[in-house]
């Protein structure tokens, strides 16, 4: 079992002229790892998927996987209205599922 835990910043967004909200997800510790969702629940599911995918690619390529930051280290970068959500993935289980 290869478990990873990273905080995602999830922010509720509303496009101009759109009556519905969407949720933008970013992983501050991982460059160019982001996704979105139509609801908060969907955003979390998409965050789990993209995190597992990218960490699997890092493992396969032999890349150094950055150490995750603590909530204390990240709390100052979170915009008002955004949330830090701990996302946990198991890359071995992800490999079995895809």
């Amino acid at each position: 079992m290869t478990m990873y835990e990273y905080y995602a910043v999830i922010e509720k967004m509303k496009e101009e002229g759109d009556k519905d909200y969407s949720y933008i997800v970013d992983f501050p510790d991982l460059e160019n790892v982001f996704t979105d969702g139509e609801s908060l629940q969907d955003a979390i599911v998409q965050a789990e998927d993209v995190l597992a995918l990218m960490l699997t690619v890092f493992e396969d390529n032999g890349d150094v996987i950055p150490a995750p930051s603590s909530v204390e280290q990240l709390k100052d970068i979170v915009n008002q209205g955004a949330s830090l959500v701990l996302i946990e993935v198991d890359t071995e289980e992800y490999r079995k599922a895809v």
Side-chain angles (χ1 to χ4, degrees):
M1 180 181 324
T2 307
M3 297 293 297
Y4 296 95
E5 292 181 338
Y6 282 88
Y7 281 99
V9 176
I10 301 180
E11 190 168 2
K12 192 175 187 178
M13 302 294 284
K14 186 172 185 177
E15 296 291 328
E16 188 175 322
D18 195 355
K19 63 180 181 180
D20 295 323
Y21 287 92
S22 62
Y23 294 81
I24 308 301
V25 181
D26 180 40
F27 288 91
D29 292 322
L30 302 167
E31 190 174 323
N32 296 318
V33 179
F34 50 87
T35 189
D36 63 0
E38 292 181 9
S39 67
L40 180 57
Q41 182 177 359
D42 183 43
I44 292 170
V45 168
Q46 298 303 322
E48 291 168 345
D49 187 56
V50 75
L51 180 60
L53 171 64
M54 294 308 298
L55 291 173
T56 300
V57 169
F58 288 168
E59 290 174 348
D60 290 347
N61 291 341
D63 296 335
V64 173
I65 297 175
S69 297
S70 69
V71 68
E72 291 80 22
Q73 293 170 308
L74 296 173
K75 67 182 179 183
D76 292 334
I77 68 162
V78 178
N79 296 328
Q80 186 174 7
S83 299
L84 279 176
V85 177
L86 185 62
I87 305 295
E88 181 180 88
V89 297
D90 180 338
T91 53
E92 288 180 34
E93 289 299 316
Y94 181 79
R95 288 175 200 279
K96 292 176 189 174
V98 293

